[in-house]
Amino acid sequence: MNRMSGKYIALPKGVTEKDLDAAIGEFRRVLGPEQVFTDAGHLAPYMKIMLAVPEAQHAPSAAICPRSVEQIQQVVKICNKHRVPIWPISTGRNLGYGSAAPATPGQIVMDLRLMNRILHVDPELCTALVEPGVTYQQLYDYIEQRNLPVWLSCPAPSAIAGPLGNTVDRGVGYTPYGEHFLFSCGMEVVLPNAEVLRTGMGAVSNSNTWQVFKWGYGPYLDGIFTQSNFGIVTKLGLWLMPRPPAYKPFVIRYEKESDIVGIVDTLRPLRIAAVIPNAVVIVNTLWDAAPVTKRADFYSGKGQIPDSAVREIMAAKKLGAWNVYAALYGTPEQVEVNWKIVTQAVAASRNGDILTAAEVNDSPVFKYRAELMAGKMTLQEFSLYNWRGGGGSMWFSPVSQAKGSETLQQMALAKSILEKHGFDYVAEFIVGWRDMHHIIDLLFDRSDPAQMTAAHRCYSELIDEFAKRGYGVYRTNTAFMDKVAGIYGPVMRDVNRKLKKALDPNGILAPGKSGIAI
Ligand code: ADP
């Protein structure tokens, strides 16, 4: 699989060592030798993956760190000249989806972390414009230091990830602005032919409406630069949420797994009408248990953790079978009215125990969720990786309608496939406006070859069995991109390939991303 050479830990498909040498030499001239890495020591962070495949399958040949758009343009020209592929990353924290490693061996990682300027934050319009290397923590600190009246929305590993990388991979967060791509506005993109495109109003010279009007004129192009390999995004505009005068996070705990039906049907109308405006999460026991306990404390046998052990955890850690986290935002009066509507809806459903911050006291799990729903910085979700230990994690994330019956069906299907392969069902549903992202963390021990094989088979079967029932995933890891592209059918593949050929005839940009190659 992996093509070794004397000098490089991997070679890209179809590229000779001589061609790579020539390209690396030119990168050194353009970027400076200190921004080009080919030795195993420096490449180690770009090789580390959590997937159920050997690292060699995703080993880069080199990593380069450009500092400007002009340098990226030069790099792209060199890549075309020598036909060498590059894999752009922004903050490179795509953990459980491939981390910083490329889709196929030998691609040169283009690490954009040095391009980390916050170009502007407009507190009146509540907009920002950032470069790829800007982390959420950096933007958060910028806002805090200036006491700007805006909130961020971030994914769970908020502090170390960044808005540009997360948005172009269509990640989600937990505030009312949680559907990140929806709340982005305007991109700057270096195309594979080295031209620079500004989307939307950014294409008009001297425009000051780039970050306020998304659609511009003619076809709306931003979407084709997300989850794709058609361009390198070098700037992203985003909308920020005005800081609300009042914020009320709460949890509703449910006793039984089958309660998921009623939960979704109770909450959906409130979510669609934006009484509850944020991306509500419905979290299962094991996910919520991870920060406060370890699997081995309750179960040390083989196979999926039994329901009886899950019930013990629920009792010991005061968790529900499902734990719903949501929040109200607005003026104190608005929050009071909406709180009445929510509590009445939960009471009418005759199920669920609704608790406020004061009532759960100092529960660390609640605190973490309350922070996420307020766009604050946290790294708590990483405790999931200690649940089983061993560094294996692959997110399986099918999309579901926000209907109770659908969720029960998806849960039962996922749980039984995971059980067959000996893995736990560790899951949450993130409720969008009408959909839910059903997020399952397939956790396994990478040091155990049997678990590696089982995890690979399990993930593959999850994709197949869900697809048979008409369910597709919203995102996948670098080891399964081609397979998932297959689920979306030949016409989609063909259109993507045509776009790829037109924009990147030499196939130099991230071949294999989302299953797209020439
Ligand atoms: P995060 O650290 O926020 O998770 P990453 O930097 O890992 O985000 O980016 C996630 C994925 O998005 C990458 O694996 C890559 O495929 C794609 N990507 C990241 N940055 C860019 C970019 N500037 N242009 C195009 N695609 C990008």
Side-chain angles (χ1 to χ4, degrees):
M1 184 92 213
N2 191 23
R3 299 169 66 226
M4 300 283 286
S5 83
K7 276 188 208 150
Y8 302 102
I9 56 175
L11 276 178
K13 196 170 152 210
V15 176
T16 62
E17 189 176 292
K18 203 162 144 260
D19 288 335
L20 190 57
D21 274 347
I24 296 286
E26 291 186 39
F27 292 150
R28 290 201 166 112
R29 269 197 297 284
V30 169
L31 305 177
E34 68 290 352
Q35 304 306 345
V36 179
F37 309 101
T38 55
D39 62 289
H42 276 103
L43 294 183
Y46 302 104
M47 290 194 57
K48 203 168 165 10
I49 49 171
M50 305 186 81
L51 314 178
V53 292
E55 286 187 353
Q57 218 163 296
H58 298 279
S61 54
I64 55 176
C65 299
R67 290 179 180 280
S68 66
V69 170
E70 294 70 28
Q71 286 191 344
I72 294 177
Q73 291 176 280
Q74 300 271 359
V75 165
V76 163
K77 285 182 189 158
I78 297 166
C79 290
N80 276 299
K81 185 168 150 200
H82 299 287
R83 304 283 200 270
V84 297
I86 38 168
W87 177 266
I89 58 164
S90 290
T91 41
R93 307 295 183 160
N94 220 6
L95 308 178
Y97 285 115
S99 306
T104 55
Q107 296 192 41
I108 296 161
V109 175
M110 177 189 264
D111 182 344
L112 299 170
R113 81 169 78 167
L114 300 180
M115 292 173 61
N116 65 350
R117 287 177 304 164
I118 296 168
L119 297 164
H120 83 242
V121 175
D122 185 327
E124 286 161 355
L125 292 166
C126 302
T127 61
L129 182 68
V130 297
E131 291 190 327
V134 171
T135 62
Y136 283 108
Q137 181 76 55
Q138 192 186 337
L139 191 52
Y140 183 80
D141 291 344
Y142 180 102
I143 289 166
E144 287 286 293
Q145 279 154 13
R146 289 161 185 78
N147 194 22
L148 303 179
V150 290
W151 276 10
L152 293 179
S153 173
C154 16
S158 54
I160 55 173
L164 192 146
N166 188 266
T167 304
V168 298
D169 222 31
R170 296 209 293 267
V172 296
Y174 302 86
T175 73
Y177 283 34
E179 181 61 91
H180 292 162
F181 180 49
L182 198 61
F183 291 93
S184 70
C185 191
M187 289 176 174
E188 179 186 83
V189 188
V190 176
L191 299 171
N193 68 358
E195 279 177 342
V196 177
L197 169 73
R198 288 192 172 183
T199 64
M201 302 310 287
V204 177
S205 55
N206 293 325
S207 154
N208 65 4
T209 50
W210 192 18
Q211 269 63 68
V212 294
F213 182 62
K214 289 153 82 91
W215 319 122
Y217 175 74
Y220 172 69
L221 294 177
D222 298 43
I224 69 163
F225 298 109
T226 63
Q227 287 192 4
S228 85
N229 48 15
F230 301 152
I232 301 163
V233 182
T234 46
K235 292 183 183 64
L236 181 79
L238 50 141
W239 289 348
L240 305 170
M241 178 181 155
R243 182 170 65 205
Y247 167 61
K248 189 180 180 92
F250 58 93
V251 57
I252 320 173
R253 290 188 188 138
Y254 291 85
E255 281 296 308
K256 299 196 301 288
E257 264 189 343
S258 55
D259 288 341
I260 188 78
V261 178
I263 298 172
V264 174
D265 292 336
T266 302
L267 294 178
R268 184 190 49 251
L270 302 175
R271 176 72 182 107
I272 293 185
V275 171
I276 298 176
N278 74 315
V280 174
V281 284
I282 308 172
V283 188
N284 88 339
T285 313
L286 298 186
W287 187 304
D288 254 5
V292 285
T293 185
K294 282 202 186 58
R295 187 179 200 265
D297 296 342
F298 288 86
Y299 184 63
S300 52
K302 278 196 180 315
Q304 187 175 71
I305 187 168
D307 287 348
S308 55
V310 176
R311 275 193 295 276
E312 276 175 43
I313 297 173
M314 281 170 60
K317 302 294 168 190
K318 293 209 194 79
L319 295 170
W322 293 107
N323 307 273
V324 174
Y325 296 93
L328 303 177
Y329 308 74
T331 64
E333 295 81 1
Q334 286 170 318
V335 166
E336 203 182 309
V337 169
N338 286 338
W339 179 241
K340 214 175 264 173
I341 299 172
V342 172
T343 47
Q344 280 169 1
V346 174
S349 76
R350 295 175 180 279
N351 200 0
D353 199 5
I354 187 162
L355 302 163
T356 61
E359 287 162 324
V360 292
N361 292 320
D362 53 356
S363 154
V365 182
F366 183 86
K367 185 169 167 281
Y368 151 61
R369 289 290 173 179
E371 282 172 351
L372 267 186
M373 292 188 293
K376 291 216 172 102
M377 297 303 103
T378 149
L379 292 175
Q380 180 80 70
E381 195 183 66
F382 289 124
S383 56
L384 279 175
Y385 301 147
N386 298 330
W387 173 247
R388 189 148 192 170
S393 164
M394 293 191 290
W395 301 103
F396 178 69
S397 19
V399 176
S400 152
Q401 283 189 341
K403 279 193 184 158
S405 51
E406 286 289 302
T407 50
L408 189 61
Q409 197 169 307
Q410 283 208 357
M411 181 203 78
L413 180 62
K415 204 174 161 190
S416 72
I417 295 170
L418 287 156
E419 183 179 20
K420 180 172 152 194
H421 296 277
F423 299 111
D424 299 343
Y425 175 65
V426 182
E428 71 175 12
F429 287 92
I430 307 183
V431 188
W433 253 305
R434 285 155 180 84
D435 75 292
M436 307 208 283
H437 289 27
H438 182 183
I439 312 281
I440 300 161
D441 198 359
L442 171 44
L443 293 162
F444 58 98
D445 184 352
R446 285 194 90 245
S447 67
D448 175 350
Q451 281 195 40
M452 285 280 273
T453 310
H456 197 279
R457 283 209 189 113
C458 181
Y459 195 93
S460 198
E461 190 173 331
L462 283 165
I463 295 173
D464 289 336
E465 290 303 316
F466 272 70
K468 268 187 210 159
R469 291 157 181 83
Y471 298 128
V473 298
Y474 92 100
R475 189 180 184 186
T476 196
N477 66 62
T478 43
F480 286 92
M481 286 182 165
D482 206 45
K483 183 175 172 81
V484 168
I487 303 298
Y488 284 82
V491 178
M492 180 92 81
R493 283 207 106 151
D494 189 45
V495 171
N496 281 334
R497 196 175 294 125
K498 282 181 179 140
L499 287 169
K500 181 71 175 162
K501 270 192 183 155
L503 292 170
D504 183 14
N506 296 323
I508 54 115
L509 190 59
K513 174 78 184 175
S514 298
I516 307 166
I518 299 193

